[in-house]
Amino acid sequence: MPAKIPATVVTGFLGAGKTTLIRHMLQNAQGRRIALIINEFGDLGVDGDILKGCGEETCREEDVVELSNGCICCTVADDFIPTMEKLLARPDKPDHIVIETSGLALPQPLVRAFNWPGISTKVTVDGVVTVVDGKAVNDGQFAHNLAAIDAQRAQDDNLDHETPLSELFEDQIACADMIVVNKTDLLTADETDTLSDKLKTDSREGVQVVRASMGALPVDVLLGQGVAAESDLDSRHEVHHHHHHHDDGAHHADDEHDHEHEHGHDEFESFIVTRPEIADASAFAQQVADVIRQHNILRLKGFAAVADKPMRLTLQAVGPRVDTHFDAPFGSGPRETRLVVIGEAGLDRAAITAALTA
């Protein structure tokens, strides 16, 4: 049976920077074919035009689908499921699907839809990424342009227009596997630290909180989380269970400035650790998990040589969740262990290297 196609759900309020994050991901997709589903409606639709204009092989025009009949969490059966079925029936299937929800959509009903017959065997939720406007949340507003949110909310009759943004924000945080604190360039270092710590406390165990100034996340951090969120709905409870919300097309007046200048990944770093062969595969996996926890490493991947095993051990870790399997013979290369460590800037390379080679 072919492997399921991974799908990443990107949620977050108007102006948080979802489109900027996705645009950056497409420009740095490293050869992955990515299909986009964008939830737009009303008069605010501009995402599609921006993303369709990216002109990359990764995101051909036919790979961008807009759902414009209202908020995606209210139109799952009518809109989202048929779109997914059409996408999955293509002979040239994408390597990854990215769904940008309308910002007032609840992520939970969308994740639940991945358990529908006909969908559940073919695609899986790689992870839910919640993009947060760090400046607005720090100021207690959740979004930078409340009038624009109200205007968009008014355009969808399915929505509960009374639900406070604070509750919708709690839902987005409750469902997240990764929280991207965006616009950290508008905050002091102390404000960013305090906000990141609070979001970590308010979210589920194991959720990664990362910082970005212009939505510039390494694609290896954003994609490949392997969470299978649809099989873990109980822990992603909604604060409230009635239909509502949407908002997302309009965030671009504010996002445009970050298209003007490409930002690198100054907030992230990666380095390689090598060591001779290891004695015990499971003990080493545990050692890796412990090092990740102690040093807040986002991703760790590579392979290890295990004593008396001709095959190399492939190792991939997302946070403290470590997956290993023997994949191929070593061939003529040296029998060594080689790991790539990825994390936010400021990793203690010496300590991490010492701990991984101990």
Side-chain angles (χ1 to χ4, degrees), residues 18 29 47 92 126 137 239:
K18 298 190 296 292
D47 285 5
D92 58 339
D126 182 62
V137 175
V239 177

Side-chain angles (χ1 to χ4, degrees), residues 187-208:
L187 298 175
T188 66
D190 285 348
E191 285 172 333
T192 303
D193 288 345
T194 302
L195 178 57
S196 298
D197 290 346
K198 179 168 178 4
L199 289 168
K200 215 168 180 72
T201 304
D202 292 349
S203 55
R204 294 171 302 121
E205 178 130 10
V207 171
Q208 297 186 327

